[in-house]
């Protein structure tokens, strides 16, 4: 993939002027995603009690344990915003390419801001998925929660597609087209960030806490 920036609304923040319609589109989509994740996460804590703050069920069947493992692995592999953030960081900041593609004065701060928000939303999605998966004892509810988080995570991609179709006005349509047309410099050889290490670390962290909860369930602590 030679795209300079991912095709999502977070990319608008990398080059748009603050408070412009393009910039605000990226902020509004991010705020919507975070708000929905917060509501889901708060719902988890509201079902808890003293000693079991997130409402983990006392025990679950082997089938549910297997589904938990499958869902957690699939969550890490399919979390698009984390993968896109790692790709952006992997290739690094390309000042000249940004300047040539968007006809703006490049800002490393705005590029970093875009990257941080995308990564933060992706990590929040992972945490919310873990909480929702571990607090359900029904296969149907686990899959519905996974689907809900996936939908929220792809709102930035959906917003970009709608902007590209022109539903948000001419300015956003032109911004989306500019992102689609922007490409990295062929001479970029910065590829030194070990992306797989980050993903394996995220997966290891999730399974550490999965094992901790499994141990407490088996020990009768819930």
């Amino acid at each position: 993939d030679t795209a300079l920036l991912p095709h999502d609304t977070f990319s608008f923040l990398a080059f748009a002027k603050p408070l412009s319609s393009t910039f605000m589109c990226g902020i509004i989509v991010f705020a919507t995603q975070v708000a929905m994740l917060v509501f889901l996460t708060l719902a988890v804590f509201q079902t808890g009690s003293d000693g079991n703050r997130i409402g983990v069920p006392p025990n679950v069947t082997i089938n549910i344990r297997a589904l938990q493992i499958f869902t957690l692995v699939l969550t890490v592999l399919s979390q698009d915003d984390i993968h896109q953030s790692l790709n952006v960081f992997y290739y690094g900041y390309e000042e000249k390419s940004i300047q040539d593609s968007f006809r703006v004065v490049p800002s490393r701060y705005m590029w970093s801001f875009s990257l941080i928000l995308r990564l933060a939303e992706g990590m929040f999605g992972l945490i919310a998925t873990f909480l929702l998966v571990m607090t359900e004892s029904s296969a149907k509810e686990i899959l519905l929660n996974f689907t809900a988080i996936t939908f929220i995570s792809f709102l930035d991609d959906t917003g970009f597609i709608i902007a590209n179709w022109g539903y948000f006005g001419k300015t956003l349509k032109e911004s989306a087209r500019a992102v689609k047309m922007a490409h990295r410099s062929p001479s970029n050889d910065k590829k030194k960030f070990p992306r797989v290490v980050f993903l394996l670390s995220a997966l290891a962290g999730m399974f550490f806490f999965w094992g901790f909860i499994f141990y407490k369930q088996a020990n009768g602590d819930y």
Side-chain angles (χ1 to χ4, degrees):
D1 184 12
T2 60
L4 177 63
L5 294 170
H7 296 171
D8 60 29
T9 53
F10 287 107
S11 292
F12 293 159
L13 304 175
F15 64 89
K17 292 181 179 179
L19 301 183
S20 65
S21 59
T22 301
F23 180 86
M24 292 309 299
C25 176
I27 292 295
I28 290 170
V29 172
F30 170 72
T32 301
Q33 289 175 301
V34 170
M36 295 176 77
L37 291 173
V38 166
F39 292 145
L40 287 173
T41 304
L42 287 178
V44 170
F45 284 96
Q46 288 172 354
T47 62
S49 59
D50 291 340
N52 186 7
R53 295 299 302 276
I54 61 174
V56 176
N59 208 350
V60 294
T61 64
I62 285 237
N63 289 340
I64 295 300
R65 297 244 185 250
L67 183 58
Q68 287 175 345
I69 293 173
F70 175 77
T71 304
L72 294 179
V73 171
L74 192 58
T75 297
V76 174
L77 294 178
S78 64
Q79 181 45 262
D80 183 64
D81 289 321
I82 289 181
H83 291 292
Q84 296 286 20
S85 298
L86 294 178
N87 281 338
V88 171
F89 193 70
Y90 182 63
Y91 289 103
Y93 174 66
E94 294 191 30
E95 182 173 304
K96 189 175 186 310
S97 296
I98 292 176
Q99 184 174 17
D100 293 344
S101 299
F102 305 110
R103 300 292 186 266
V104 297
V105 177
S107 170
R108 183 182 290 270
Y109 295 109
M110 296 306 295
W111 177 85
S112 300
F113 179 63
S114 168
L115 173 62
I116 290 169
L117 290 193
R118 184 187 289 108
L119 182 60
E121 186 274 321
M123 292 301 296
F124 195 180
L126 280 187
I127 294 170
T129 303
F130 179 83
L131 292 174
L132 290 168
V133 165
M134 297 307 298
T135 54
E136 294 292 348
S137 56
S138 159
K140 177 182 177 181
E141 291 301 321
I142 289 175
L143 292 175
L144 284 175
N145 286 330
F146 171 75
T147 303
I149 299 292
T150 302
F151 167 76
I152 294 171
S153 296
F154 275 91
L155 282 178
D156 51 288
D157 301 84
T158 304
F160 181 88
I161 292 171
I162 295 174
N164 185 55
W165 286 342
Y167 285 93
F168 294 156
K170 182 180 178 181
T171 300
L172 281 165
K173 180 177 181 179
E174 291 175 350
S175 296
R177 292 283 174 87
V179 171
K180 291 186 71 174
M181 295 295 292
H183 292 85
R184 293 193 304 269
S185 168
S187 61
N188 186 349
D189 59 355
K190 295 181 181 179
K191 312 174 218 177
K192 299 183 184 298
F193 181 71
R195 293 172 292 183
V196 68
V197 172
F198 186 96
L199 294 178
L200 290 177
S201 298
L203 193 59
M206 295 185 84
F207 277 110
F208 171 81
F209 287 106
W210 178 86
F212 176 74
I213 291 175
F214 179 33
Y215 170 78
K216 295 198 73 173
Q217 284 177 318
N219 209 35
D221 293 340
Y222 294 129

